[in-house]
């Protein structure tokens, strides 16, 4: 039976003091809601139904990128039970296992969700609840158990008698698994007879039990997984938990991280063995880095594909491919689909945009190379620039193999420099250069013998 996950994400998150809905705040580089949908997907959910409400358009627009996600809008927020009911009805979920997850609990792991699903999948229980005993249970729904260890009831903090609040210490972090058939059959039995006058999803425990069904408790192993985001301070706290978790995994896989406290790696990033990450490095998005690389210090890569044995020092890269044996930096900026091929070198204060840098080619100093196709074995002298923009269009520069471009050359695109050509330093190249030719554009040098010495004498004597 296909598994469905319902993600509760209609809340405002008042304490965030934000224009944006709480679940859209980012943990590392990804909105909270997407951490939850990802965990659900990894746990085997085939359908993911997100209940949106506050800031619905923003959440919907973001989730449009996740093909297996459907959004159901809860226009009136009448409680967690009402949110689940809205999802079941809106997405017509009537059978199979169902996970119910809080959209603001980003650190829950797929493995934990699979453990939570187990008693429901086996038919042993109609509902399963994750549970733990926090140091301070204040604010959480409290669990009451039967003699056989199954859950008898959940009492919300606000509905607890002082005695219940003091003695019931086992808490509900808000992650549930249900069998959809009894859930959808009986969710209409929820009432608002409680202190908050809300439909509580937690009341499904007593309702299902009343129908002779069992509710299992599944103990959470790692309390960090249950942390929720209600404030910016908690967001920062969870971000360090996520960072440490990812860094620990990478180190266990054979990556050296000199300073884990200043190394920030997104959840989808992969890093190969024996690669060294130096301080102040951020690897985000779909970035992958191969083996035996040195990345950093001060390097930020987003959606980059990096081969092996690459050195990236003080480099910012967005959406670029860097092949094996390349050296980049210090202080380079690569972007816009650039491809730096095997053995090439991109040096200091160099920007490369939407360009193909051929094998073994070198752009060592102070250059801008944009919209350029460069062959292999090319050398670009310091300070050279592709003038790719005429104010209206972006134009291409094509440079053949083994071209030598002297320093301070302006290549005014569209322009082609043929294989093996030589461009003299300080030329402004506006016309195509044939293969193996010399292109030189500069006025001839004058020599005036003795001029400098005579000038100095004049100045010393106070003459004009
Ligand atoms: C809930 C549980 C409580 C548990 C706690 C853990 C209930 C009644 N109580 O309480 O036992 O200890 O979570 O964090 O469920 N939401 C909607 N629509 C609504 C109401 C809520 O989508 O109408 C969403 C919120 O955006 C949030 C989640 O459901 O993501 C939880 O709602 P919240 O009101 O924060 O529940 P708690 O009072 O924390
Ligand atoms: Ca010139």
């Amino acid at each position: 039976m296909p598994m469905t996950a319902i993600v509760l994400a209609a809340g405002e998150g008042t304490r965030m003091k934000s224009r944006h809905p709480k679940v859209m705040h980012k943990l590392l580089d990804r909105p909270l809601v997407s951490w939850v949908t990802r965990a659900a997907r990894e746990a085997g959910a085939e359908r993911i139904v997100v209940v949106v409400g506050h800031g619905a358009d923003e959440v919907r627009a973001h989730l449009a990128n996740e093909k297996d996600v459907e959004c159901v809008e809860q226009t009136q927020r009448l409680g967690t039970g009402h949110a689940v009911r809205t999802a079941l009805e809106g997405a017509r979920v009537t059978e199979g296992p169902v996970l119910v997850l809080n959209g603001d609990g980003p650190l829950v792991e797929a493995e934990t969700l699979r453990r939570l699903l187990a008693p429901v999948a086996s038919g042993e229980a109609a509902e399963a609840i994750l549970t733990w005993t926090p140091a301070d249970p204040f604010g959480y729904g409290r669990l009451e158990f039967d003699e056989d260890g199954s859950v008898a009831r959940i009492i919300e903090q606000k509905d607890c008698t002082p005695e219940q609040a003091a003695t019931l210490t086992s808490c509900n972090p808000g992650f549930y698994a249900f069998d959809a058939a009894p859930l959808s059959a009986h969710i209409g039995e929820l009432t608002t007879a409680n202190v908050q006058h809300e439909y509580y999803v937690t009341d499904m425990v007593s309702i299902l039990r009343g129908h002779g069904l069992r509710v299992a408790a599944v103990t959470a192993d790692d309390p960090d997984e249950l942390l929720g985001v209600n404030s910016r301070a908690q967001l920062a706290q969870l971000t360090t938990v996520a960072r440490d978790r990812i860094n620990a995994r990478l180190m266990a896989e054979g990556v050296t991280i000199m300073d884990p406290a200043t190394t920030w790696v997104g959840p989808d990033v992969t890093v190969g063995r024996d690669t060294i990450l130096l301080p102040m490095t951020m690897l985000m998005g779909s970035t992958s880095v191969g083996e035996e690389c040195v990345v950093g210090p001060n390097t930020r890569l987003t959606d980059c594909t990096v081969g092996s044995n690459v050195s990236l020092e003080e480099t910012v890269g967005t959406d670029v491919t860097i092949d094996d044996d390349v050296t980049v930096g210090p202080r380079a900026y690569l972007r816009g689909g650039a491809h730096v091929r095997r053995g090439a070198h991109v040096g200091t204060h160099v920007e490369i945009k939407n360009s193909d840098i051929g094998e073994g080619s070198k752009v060592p100093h102070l250059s801008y190379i944009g919209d350029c196709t460069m062959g292999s074995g090319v050398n670009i002298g310091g300070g050279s620039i592709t003038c790719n923009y005429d104010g209206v269009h972006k134009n291409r520069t094509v440079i053949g193999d083994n071209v030598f471009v002297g320093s301070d050359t302006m290549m005014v695109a569209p322009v082609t420099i043929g294989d093996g050509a030589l461009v003299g330093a300080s030329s402004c190249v506006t016309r195509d250069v044939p293969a193996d030719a010399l292109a030189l554009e500069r006025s001839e040098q004058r020599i005036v013998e003795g001029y400098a010495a005579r000038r100095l004498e004049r100045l010393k004597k106070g003459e004009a």
Side-chain angles (χ1 to χ4, degrees), residues 217-235:
V218 174
T219 310
D221 295 333
D222 175 5
D224 279 353
E225 283 187 47
L226 313 176
L227 294 170
V229 175
N230 295 297
S231 64
R232 308 262 181 174
Q234 284 174 337
L235 181 62

Side-chain angles (χ1 to χ4, degrees), residues 1 3 96-98 113-128 177-179 214-216 218:
M1 206 83 78
M3 194 260 281
V98 175
L113 298 180
R114 280 191 286 264
R115 285 203 298 124
L116 182 61
L117 282 161
V120 171
S122 69
E124 184 196 313
E127 179 182 354
F178 289 94
D179 176 353
R214 199 169 170 271
V215 179
V218 174

Side-chain angles (χ1 to χ4, degrees), residues 407-410 424-429 441-443:
S407 297
D408 188 33
T409 295
M410 301 296 118
S426 190
S427 293
C428 181
V429 179
E441 182 281 333
R442 58 168 107 118
S443 44

Side-chain angles (χ1 to χ4, degrees), residues 2 4 44 69 71 73 79 87 125 128 152 174 192 197 204 243 252 294 297 369 461:
T4 306
V69 170
C71 293
E73 188 156 350
T192 56
H197 305 292
M204 285 312 297
R243 177 202 63 197
V294 180
I369 302 295
K461 284 190 220 153

Side-chain angles (χ1 to χ4, degrees), residues 53-296:
H54 194 87
D57 292 343
E58 191 177 339
V59 183
R60 233 189 254 279
H62 166 70
L63 289 171
N65 306 319
E66 298 183 26
K67 298 293 167 239
D68 50 358
V69 170
E70 5 181 349
C71 293
V72 169
E73 188 156 350
Q74 185 194 22
T75 39
Q76 271 187 299
R77 285 178 281 289
L78 305 177
T80 50
H82 178 256
V84 171
R85 184 176 177 172
T86 305
L88 292 173
E89 289 172 358
R92 294 175 211 283
V93 180
T94 53
E95 52 179 18
V98 175
L99 279 173
V100 174
L101 310 171
N102 270 341
D104 61 4
L107 296 182
V108 70
E109 301 251 19
E111 181 48 37
T112 303
L113 298 180
R114 280 191 286 264
R115 285 203 298 124
L116 182 61
L117 282 161
V120 171
S122 69
E124 184 196 313
E127 179 182 354
I129 295 172
L130 206 59
T131 170
W132 96 125
T133 306
D136 178 11
F138 184 84
Y140 290 102
R142 312 300 176 83
L143 273 63
E144 245 182 14
F145 295 95
D146 270 344
E147 283 103 69
D148 69 349
S150 63
V151 187
R153 189 151 77 114
I154 302 179
I155 311 169
E156 289 304 301
Q157 173 80 45
K158 288 180 179 149
D159 297 290
C160 277
T161 63
E163 205 215 320
Q164 286 168 328
T167 55
L168 302 175
T169 54
S170 189
C171 290
N172 166 35
F175 299 92
Y176 320 87
F178 289 94
D179 176 353
L183 174 65
S184 55
H186 301 301
I187 196 161
E189 295 165 32
L190 288 175
T191 71
T192 56
N194 53 57
V195 169
Q196 303 184 79
H197 305 292
E198 284 182 4
Y199 295 99
Y200 289 169
V201 71
T202 44
D203 283 347
M204 285 312 297
V205 175
S206 353
I207 291 172
L208 292 171
R209 256 177 46 105
H211 291 281
L213 297 163
R214 199 169 170 271
V215 179
V218 174
T219 310
D221 295 333
D222 175 5
D224 279 353
E225 283 187 47
L226 313 176
L227 294 170
V229 175
N230 295 297
S231 64
R232 308 262 181 174
Q234 284 174 337
L235 181 62
Q237 184 202 347
L238 267 72
T239 304
T240 62
V241 172
R243 177 202 63 197
D244 291 346
R245 210 191 246 184
I246 290 167
N247 286 346
R249 169 173 59 77
L250 291 174
M251 290 188 279
E253 289 168 2
V255 176
T256 291
I257 301 180
M258 184 187 274
D259 182 14
T262 65
T263 303
W264 301 85
V265 179
D268 290 332
V269 171
T270 60
V271 183
R273 269 186 198 215
D274 292 315
T275 282
I276 299 171
L277 304 182
L278 294 175
M280 302 296 291
T281 287
M282 296 182 88
L283 306 178
M284 293 293 159
S286 59
T287 294
S288 68
V289 177
E291 302 188 352
E292 308 270 359
C293 295
V294 180
V295 182

